[in-house]
Amino acid sequence: QVQLVESGGGLVQAGGSLRLSCAASGRTFSSYAMAWFRQAPGKEREFVAAITWSGRSTYVADSVKGRFTISRDNAKNTVHLQMNGLKPEDTAVYYCARSGGYYYGPSRGEYDYWGQGTQVTVSS
C-alpha cells in the first residue's frame, strides 16, 4: 500500500505564498508520476500540476501557470507545490495523488492513490 500525507496549508493574504509538501510511504515512489489537485466548496476536483517520475518534466494548469511550481525529491519521498501570488480563487483543499505509472496529465482516473488533503485559504 501507498500512503500520501499533505502538509503546509494555512491562511494567507492575497499575493502571499505557501509551500505544500506531500510525504509518501510505501514500496515504491520514484518510479511514479505525481500530481496536485484541489477542490473548492461546491466545485469538482480540479487538476493543478503534475510531475514525471524523474522530475524532468511538468504539466501545469493554465489557471496557476506562472504562479505555482511543482517539484519532487525522490531521495526524501517528497513532492512539493510552491504557490506564489495567491488569489482568493485558489482557496481549496489541496490533494496529492500518485499516478498509476508514467501518466502525468490532468485526468483524475489515471491516479490510483490520494492523500487526505490540506486546506489552503486565501483572504482578500
Side-chain angles (χ1 to χ4, degrees):
Q1 294 184 335
V2 175
Q3 292 183 316
L4 305 174
V5 180
E6 303 94 336
S7 63
L11 175 64
V12 65
Q13 294 186 114
S17 299
L18 283 174
R19 185 175 179 83
L20 305 184
S21 297
C22 172
S25 63
R27 295 183 178 180
T28 61
F29 175 74
S30 63
S31 296
Y32 297 87
M34 302 289 291
W36 287 95
F37 287 77
R38 66 186 183 185
Q39 187 165 22
K43 301 185 69 176
E44 293 187 339
R45 188 165 46 191
E46 174 190 25
F47 172 78
V48 177
I51 188 167
T52 60
W53 68 269
S54 67
R56 294 175 184 263
S57 299
T58 63
Y59 186 102
V60 183
D62 289 340
S63 60
V64 302
K65 190 173 297 182
R67 299 187 297 121
F68 291 10
T69 302
I70 186 171
S71 62
R72 68 189 298 163
D73 186 342
N74 290 341
K76 297 181 179 180
N77 294 333
T78 304
V79 180
H80 301 283
L81 184 68
Q82 178 65 47
M83 305 185 295
N84 299 324
L86 285 163
K87 305 175 181 179
E89 50 262 46
D90 294 320
T91 295
V93 175
Y94 283 70
Y95 298 92
C96 177
R98 192 197 79 171
S99 170
Y102 298 105
Y103 180 81
Y104 67 108
S107 297
R108 289 175 292 177
E110 297 290 343
Y111 298 88
D112 55 2
Y113 288 95
W114 298 79
Q116 297 276 42
T118 185
Q119 177 70 49
V120 172
T121 303
V122 184
S123 64
S124 59

